[in-house]
Amino acid sequence: MLAGLLRIRLQPVIYVCLPARNHSRTVGLLLWKIRHTFTAFSREYQLLVADDASTDDTAEVLDLYQRVLPLTVIRNDTAAGYAASLERLLHEAVERSDRPKRDCAVIIPPDFAIPPDALPALVRRIESGADVVVGEKTNREGPIAMRLVCRSQPWLLRPGLRVPGLRDFISGCYAFRLATLKACFRDRTPLLDTEDWCANAELVARAALSARQIAAVALPPGRAAGASSFPPALQLAFALLRTGRRLRIPPPVVPVDRVA
């Protein structure tokens, strides 16, 4: 029995982070699907949701699921924005962990833009030694203009944000070893200067600086609902251009390991 307890305590913890605002229609079902994913995947996990002052029924939905899931809800009384909510979730994961070299944080959008069954592939790469794992949506659907913008991300984000070999910075689905995030927070607080989808690209670039291994994995297509969270194509293109000219983040010294 003691050996069994020891094994349980030594299991890494996966902190699944969801920044949410007015996602009452999807966040509850997504949390339940994540539960099923990790029941089959057989890993210890904790759910962390940041409710950024939602004005719909998100708070009530989360209260309901908090009773039956290993879920912690962090609420902002006033809207702080996506980047602040994301950073708060990652801080919470780092502060909770007593094994940051083994534990990891996984980020997934709250709207089914990424299916929950994509998460085990990211976690396995962390378990194989990667410190940063980027989920890439290589076959995006939607208008041609949006597909062109998404394909042009590496070019639009130059010269101030470069991770050579990475094709998709803004999927919103990533895994980070907590020791890597801890180093990022130690070097820079607050960590993120940008907002919305550009904050995803900035987070990846800053974490990559502290990583010994960086991996990219292809994501399966999600539901069409995820597309609604994107701004118009031209607006996104200009935001990425501004981010690439505003930031000055050196490229990482390690290459991106691509996984088909």
Side-chain angles (χ1 to χ4, degrees), residues 122-137:
L122 278 71
V123 174
R124 288 190 184 100
R125 291 297 294 159
I126 293 287
E127 293 174 343
S128 298
D131 298 309
V132 174
V133 185
V134 180
E136 294 186 329
K137 298 189 75 170

Side-chain angles (χ1 to χ4, degrees), residues 161-226:
L161 195 157
R162 291 184 296 125
V163 181
L166 199 60
R167 301 170 187 167
D168 186 359
F169 292 78
I170 60 172
S171 70
C173 186
Y174 318 101
F176 301 98
R177 192 176 303 277
L178 292 187
T180 301
L181 290 177
K182 191 173 183 178
C184 293
F185 289 132
R186 185 174 58 244
D187 294 339
R188 181 183 176 86
T189 302
L191 181 62
L192 303 175
D193 291 332
T194 52
E195 188 48 77
D196 298 324
W197 291 99
C198 294
N200 287 330
E202 183 182 1
L203 174 62
V204 168
R206 294 199 185 282
L209 288 178
S210 300
R212 295 168 300 176
Q213 289 187 40
I214 306 168
V217 299
L219 295 171
R223 294 186 182 178

